[in-house]
Protein backbone atom coordinates (compact mmCIF):
# COMPACT_ATOMS: atom_id res chain seq x y z
CA UNK A 1 0.00 0.00 0.00
CA UNK A 2 2.82 2.42 0.80
CA UNK A 3 4.08 2.84 -2.72
CA UNK A 4 4.64 0.76 -5.81
CA UNK A 5 7.04 1.79 -8.54
CA UNK A 6 4.02 2.56 -10.68
CA UNK A 7 2.55 4.76 -7.98
CA UNK A 8 5.89 6.54 -7.55
CA UNK A 9 6.17 7.31 -11.25
CA UNK A 10 2.56 8.44 -11.58
CA UNK A 11 2.56 10.49 -8.40
CA UNK A 12 5.91 12.07 -9.09
CA UNK A 13 5.06 12.92 -12.69
CA UNK A 14 1.83 14.65 -11.80
CA UNK A 15 3.46 16.69 -9.07
CA UNK A 16 5.79 18.40 -11.50
CA UNK A 17 3.22 18.60 -14.27
CA UNK A 18 1.16 20.51 -11.74
CA UNK A 19 4.10 22.82 -11.05
CA UNK A 20 4.52 23.49 -14.77
CA UNK A 21 0.88 24.53 -15.01
CA UNK A 22 1.00 26.59 -11.87
CA UNK A 23 1.44 29.90 -13.68
CA UNK A 24 -1.74 29.31 -15.64
CA UNK A 25 -3.64 28.70 -12.44
CA UNK A 26 -4.62 25.27 -13.72
CA UNK A 27 -3.01 23.26 -10.94
CA UNK A 28 -0.71 23.43 -7.98
CA UNK A 29 2.34 21.36 -7.09
CA UNK A 30 0.45 19.42 -4.47
CA UNK A 31 -1.76 17.37 -6.75
CA UNK A 32 -3.55 14.40 -5.26
CA UNK A 33 -4.47 12.50 -8.41
CA UNK A 34 -2.56 11.28 -11.47
CA UNK A 35 -3.21 12.73 -14.92
CA UNK A 36 -2.43 10.42 -17.83
CA UNK A 37 -3.97 12.38 -20.70
CA UNK A 38 -0.71 14.07 -21.69
CA UNK A 39 2.94 13.04 -21.97
CA UNK A 40 4.27 12.98 -18.39
CA UNK A 41 7.20 15.08 -17.23
CA UNK A 42 10.58 13.59 -18.21
CA UNK A 43 11.69 11.39 -15.33
CA UNK A 44 15.39 12.25 -15.70
CA UNK A 45 14.60 15.95 -15.38
CA UNK A 46 12.19 15.23 -12.58
CA UNK A 47 14.95 13.59 -10.53
CA UNK A 48 17.11 16.69 -11.08
CA UNK A 49 14.22 18.93 -10.02
CA UNK A 50 13.80 16.90 -6.84
CA UNK A 51 17.54 17.29 -6.06
CA UNK A 52 17.27 21.05 -6.59
CA UNK A 53 14.11 21.30 -4.50
CA UNK A 54 15.76 19.59 -1.50
CA UNK A 55 19.22 21.06 -2.18
CA UNK A 56 20.43 17.46 -1.92
CA UNK A 57 24.11 16.86 -1.14
CA UNK A 58 25.98 13.79 0.10
CA UNK A 59 27.58 14.39 3.50
CA UNK A 60 31.00 13.06 4.60
CA UNK A 61 29.48 9.63 5.26
CA UNK A 62 27.83 9.55 1.83
CA UNK A 63 24.35 10.14 3.28
CA UNK A 64 22.09 12.36 1.19
CA UNK A 65 20.95 15.40 3.14
CA UNK A 66 18.52 18.20 2.41
CA UNK A 67 19.83 21.76 2.65
CA UNK A 68 18.44 24.17 5.24
CA UNK A 69 18.53 26.89 2.54
CA UNK A 70 16.57 24.86 -0.02
CA UNK A 71 13.16 25.68 -1.49
CA UNK A 72 11.94 22.64 0.46
CA UNK A 73 13.15 24.18 3.74
CA UNK A 74 11.57 27.51 2.83
CA UNK A 75 8.22 25.89 2.06
CA UNK A 76 8.34 24.12 5.43
CA UNK A 77 9.24 27.33 7.28
CA UNK A 78 6.22 29.08 5.76
CA UNK A 79 3.90 26.23 6.77
CA UNK A 80 5.36 26.12 10.29
CA UNK A 81 4.93 29.86 10.82
CA UNK A 82 1.28 29.61 9.84
CA UNK A 83 0.77 26.50 11.98
CA UNK A 84 2.27 28.09 15.09
CA UNK A 85 0.03 31.13 14.80
CA UNK A 86 -2.98 28.90 14.31
CA UNK A 87 -2.13 26.48 17.15
CA UNK A 88 -1.69 29.37 19.58
CA UNK A 89 -5.11 30.80 18.69
CA UNK A 90 -6.98 27.47 18.43
CA UNK A 91 -5.51 26.21 21.71
CA UNK A 92 -6.68 29.33 23.57
CA UNK A 93 -10.18 28.97 22.13
CA UNK A 94 -10.35 25.26 22.95
CA UNK A 95 -9.17 25.78 26.53
CA UNK A 96 -11.68 28.61 26.94
CA UNK A 97 -14.48 26.25 25.84
CA UNK A 98 -13.30 23.56 28.20
CA UNK A 99 -12.12 21.29 25.34
CA UNK A 100 -8.90 19.29 25.33
CA UNK A 101 -7.01 20.32 22.18
CA UNK A 102 -4.74 17.87 20.36
CA UNK A 103 -2.52 17.81 17.29
CA UNK A 104 -1.74 14.73 15.19
CA UNK A 105 1.52 14.14 13.33
CA UNK A 106 2.34 11.55 10.70
CA UNK A 107 5.94 10.31 11.14
CA UNK A 108 7.59 9.37 7.79
CA UNK A 109 8.51 12.57 5.91
CA UNK A 110 6.42 14.64 8.30
CA UNK A 111 8.83 14.33 11.26
CA UNK A 112 11.62 12.08 9.93
CA UNK A 113 13.06 12.70 6.48
CA UNK A 114 13.57 9.66 4.20
CA UNK A 115 15.33 11.53 1.40
CA UNK A 116 18.49 9.42 1.68
CA UNK A 117 16.50 6.19 1.25
CA UNK A 118 14.42 7.55 -1.62
CA UNK A 119 17.37 8.86 -3.60
CA UNK A 120 19.58 5.84 -2.87
CA UNK A 121 16.91 3.44 -4.14
CA UNK A 122 15.83 5.66 -7.01
CA UNK A 123 12.41 6.46 -5.50
CA UNK A 124 11.29 2.84 -5.34
CA UNK A 125 10.08 0.89 -2.32
CA UNK A 126 11.15 -2.48 -0.97
CA UNK A 127 9.81 -3.73 2.37
CA UNK A 128 13.14 -5.26 3.49
CA UNK A 129 15.44 -2.33 2.70
CA UNK A 130 12.85 0.11 4.07
CA UNK A 131 12.60 -1.81 7.34
CA UNK A 132 16.40 -1.88 7.71
CA UNK A 133 16.53 1.86 7.03
CA UNK A 134 13.80 2.75 9.53
CA UNK A 135 15.28 0.55 12.24
CA UNK A 136 18.68 2.25 11.95
CA UNK A 137 16.83 5.11 13.68
CA UNK A 138 19.17 7.64 12.11
CA UNK A 139 16.90 9.74 9.89
CA UNK A 140 17.28 13.51 10.14
CA UNK A 141 14.34 15.68 11.12
CA UNK A 142 12.01 17.26 8.63
CA UNK A 143 13.13 20.87 9.16
CA UNK A 144 11.05 22.57 11.86
CA UNK A 145 8.77 19.64 12.71
CA UNK A 146 10.29 18.69 16.10
CA UNK A 147 10.08 22.39 17.04
CA UNK A 148 6.41 22.36 16.05
CA UNK A 149 5.77 19.30 18.25
CA UNK A 150 7.38 21.08 21.21
CA UNK A 151 5.54 24.31 20.43
CA UNK A 152 2.18 22.52 20.55
CA UNK A 153 3.09 20.92 23.87
CA UNK A 154 4.13 24.32 25.28
CA UNK A 155 0.63 25.62 24.48
CA UNK A 156 -1.06 22.83 26.41
CA UNK A 157 -1.95 20.86 23.27
CA UNK A 158 -1.76 17.05 23.45
CA UNK A 159 0.58 15.59 20.81
CA UNK A 160 -0.33 12.31 19.07
CA UNK A 161 1.45 10.37 16.31
CA UNK A 162 -0.50 8.51 13.61
CA UNK A 163 1.79 6.43 11.43
CA UNK A 164 1.72 3.59 8.92
CA UNK A 165 4.89 2.18 10.49
CA UNK A 166 4.27 -1.24 12.05
CA UNK A 167 4.48 -2.30 15.68
CA UNK A 168 7.81 -4.03 14.92
CA UNK A 169 9.20 -0.60 13.97
CA UNK A 170 8.09 1.12 17.20
CA UNK A 171 11.43 1.00 19.04
CA UNK A 172 13.28 2.46 16.04
CA UNK A 173 10.70 5.22 15.60
CA UNK A 174 10.84 6.21 19.27
CA UNK A 175 14.65 6.25 19.30
CA UNK A 176 14.81 8.31 16.12
CA UNK A 177 12.20 10.84 17.28
CA UNK A 178 14.10 11.30 20.56
CA UNK A 179 17.31 11.83 18.61
CA UNK A 180 15.83 14.68 16.52
CA UNK A 181 14.27 16.41 19.54
CA UNK A 182 10.65 15.37 19.09
CA UNK A 183 10.73 13.95 22.59
CA UNK A 184 7.08 14.48 23.47
CA UNK A 185 4.55 11.74 24.31
CA UNK A 186 6.49 8.89 22.71
CA UNK A 187 4.51 6.30 24.68
CA UNK A 188 2.13 3.72 23.17
CA UNK A 189 -0.89 5.71 24.34
CA UNK A 190 0.07 8.58 22.04
CA UNK A 191 1.89 6.89 19.18
CA UNK A 192 -0.48 4.87 16.98
CA UNK A 193 1.26 2.38 14.68
CA UNK A 194 -0.21 -0.28 12.41
CA UNK A 195 -0.93 -3.55 14.20
CA UNK A 196 -2.19 -5.80 11.43
CA UNK A 197 -2.12 -8.96 13.55
CA UNK A 198 -4.19 -7.48 16.39
CA UNK A 199 -6.06 -4.43 15.12
CA UNK A 200 -7.86 -2.26 17.67
CA UNK A 201 -11.65 -2.54 18.02
CA UNK A 202 -12.19 0.96 16.63
CA UNK A 203 -10.97 -0.31 13.22
CA UNK A 204 -13.46 -3.20 13.21
CA UNK A 205 -15.17 -1.96 10.02
CA UNK A 206 -12.01 -2.74 8.00
CA UNK A 207 -9.85 -4.98 10.18
CA UNK A 208 -10.23 -7.94 12.50
CA UNK A 209 -7.58 -10.25 13.99
CA UNK A 210 -5.70 -11.75 11.05
CA UNK A 211 -7.64 -9.82 8.37
CA UNK A 212 -6.50 -6.34 7.48
CA UNK A 213 -8.47 -4.53 4.74
CA UNK A 214 -8.09 -0.90 5.86
CA UNK A 215 -7.06 1.70 3.31
CA UNK A 216 -4.61 4.32 4.54
CA UNK A 217 -7.47 6.82 4.91
CA UNK A 218 -9.62 4.33 6.85
CA UNK A 219 -6.73 3.49 9.16
CA UNK A 220 -5.64 7.08 9.78
CA UNK A 221 -9.08 8.71 9.98
CA UNK A 222 -10.29 5.78 12.13
CA UNK A 223 -7.42 6.45 14.54
CA UNK A 224 -8.24 10.17 14.70
CA UNK A 225 -11.88 9.24 15.35
CA UNK A 226 -10.70 7.15 18.29
CA UNK A 227 -8.64 10.06 19.65
CA UNK A 228 -11.65 12.38 19.48
CA UNK A 229 -14.53 10.07 20.35
CA UNK A 230 -12.97 7.61 22.79
CA UNK A 231 -10.10 9.64 24.29
CA UNK A 232 -12.03 12.91 24.42
CA UNK A 233 -9.72 15.28 22.53
CA UNK A 234 -10.51 17.93 19.94
CA UNK A 235 -7.99 17.60 17.10
CA UNK A 236 -7.23 21.19 16.10
CA UNK A 237 -4.59 20.31 13.48
CA UNK A 238 -3.36 17.27 11.56
CA UNK A 239 0.05 17.24 9.84
CA UNK A 240 1.04 14.89 7.00
CA UNK A 241 3.07 14.68 3.79
CA UNK A 242 0.37 12.63 1.97
CA UNK A 243 -3.24 13.48 1.23
CA UNK A 244 -4.10 10.04 2.64
CA UNK A 245 -2.77 11.30 5.99
CA UNK A 246 -5.26 14.14 5.91
CA UNK A 247 -8.46 12.92 4.23
CA UNK A 248 -11.38 11.48 6.16
CA UNK A 249 -12.10 14.26 8.66
CA UNK A 250 -11.49 14.39 12.40
CA UNK A 251 -9.31 17.52 12.33
CA UNK A 252 -10.28 21.20 12.37
CA UNK A 253 -7.38 22.05 10.08
CA UNK A 254 -4.96 20.01 7.94
CA UNK A 255 -1.38 20.84 6.96
CA UNK A 256 0.09 19.18 3.85
CA UNK A 257 3.89 19.09 4.04
CA UNK A 258 5.77 18.84 0.74
CA UNK A 259 6.98 15.45 -0.50
CA UNK A 260 7.52 14.93 -4.23
CA UNK A 261 9.39 11.60 -3.75
CA UNK A 262 6.52 9.06 -3.50
CA UNK A 263 2.75 8.80 -3.35
CA UNK A 264 0.70 6.84 -0.84
CA UNK A 265 -2.90 6.32 -1.93
MG1 LIG B 1 4.38 10.31 5.75
Amino acid sequence: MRKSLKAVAAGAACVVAGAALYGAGAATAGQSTANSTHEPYNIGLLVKDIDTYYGTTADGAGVYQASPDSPYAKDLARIDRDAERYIDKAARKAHHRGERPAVVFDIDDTLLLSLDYEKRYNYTYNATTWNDYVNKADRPAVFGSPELVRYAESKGVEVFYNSGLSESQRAGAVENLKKVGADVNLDAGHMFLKDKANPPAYLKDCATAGTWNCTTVQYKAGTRGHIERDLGYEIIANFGDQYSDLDGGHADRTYKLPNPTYFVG
Side-chain angles (χ1 to χ4, degrees):
M1 182 57 71
R2 181 168 178 261
K3 52 192 170 182
S4 65
L5 177 54
K6 196 174 158 197
V8 169
C14 77
V15 164
V16 174
L21 290 167
Y22 185 78
T28 67
Q31 277 185 248
S32 58
T33 54
N35 182 352
S36 59
T37 58
H38 54 75
E39 182 182 357
Y41 197 83
N42 184 283
I43 199 162
L45 295 176
L46 175 59
V47 168
K48 284 187 184 171
D49 275 0
I50 291 173
D51 284 342
T52 303
Y53 182 62
Y54 285 94
T56 308
T57 52
D59 68 15
V63 176
Y64 295 114
Q65 303 285 356
S67 161
D69 304 323
S70 61
Y72 171 65
K74 288 182 178 129
D75 283 348
L76 287 169
R78 189 172 33 78
I79 292 165
D80 290 350
R81 274 196 305 274
D82 180 83
E84 287 196 1
R85 271 197 299 269
Y86 167 71
I87 287 170
D88 182 34
K89 214 188 311 174
R92 285 171 203 271
K93 274 189 200 166
H95 288 133
H96 185 70
R97 290 189 196 121
E99 293 171 349
R100 301 159 78 202
V103 286
V104 173
F105 285 85
D106 167 56
I107 295 177
D108 298 331
D109 296 293
T110 296
L111 274 157
L112 300 176
L113 182 66
S114 314
L115 178 64
D116 179 65
Y117 178 88
E118 296 305 328
K119 183 166 173 61
R120 191 165 305 283
Y121 292 103
N122 211 14
Y123 308 98
T124 60
Y125 171 72
N126 169 281
T128 305
T129 57
W130 172 251
N131 188 59
D132 290 347
Y133 176 70
V134 165
N135 283 334
K136 268 195 276 174
D138 203 25
R139 284 186 278 177
V142 169
F143 298 125
S145 292
E147 290 84 351
L148 201 52
V149 163
R150 298 199 303 269
Y151 181 84
E153 190 199 32
S154 77
K155 297 292 171 180
V157 176
E158 198 82 357
V159 174
F160 289 94
Y161 306 89
N162 189 11
S163 169
L165 290 170
S166 66
E167 280 298 332
S168 65
Q169 293 162 331
R170 181 178 292 277
V174 169
E175 183 187 338
N176 206 158
L177 287 168
K178 269 186 196 163
K179 203 184 278 186
V180 300
D183 196 358
V184 176
N185 294 352
L186 298 176
D187 58 285
H190 291 85
M191 185 187 292
F192 294 92
L193 303 184
K194 214 179 261 183
D195 189 351
K196 287 190 179 181
N198 292 294
Y202 57 81
L203 294 177
K204 64 180 180 331
D205 289 348
C206 59
T208 51
T211 311
W212 178 275
N213 289 313
C214 300
T215 63
T216 303
V217 171
Q218 283 175 319
Y219 163 61
K220 294 215 165 190
T223 303
R224 292 193 303 278
H226 168 66
I227 292 168
E228 291 202 318
R229 189 182 51 246
D230 303 329
L231 304 184
Y233 289 93
E234 173 68 24
I235 298 174
I236 58 171
N238 177 24
F239 296 85
D241 65 293
Q242 302 287 322
Y243 291 101
S244 52
D245 296 326
L246 308 175
D247 291 346
H250 293 293
D252 298 337
R253 191 172 281 201
T254 60
Y255 286 91
K256 169 69 173 68
L257 276 57
N259 180 5
T261 68
Y262 58 85
F263 187 83
V264 181

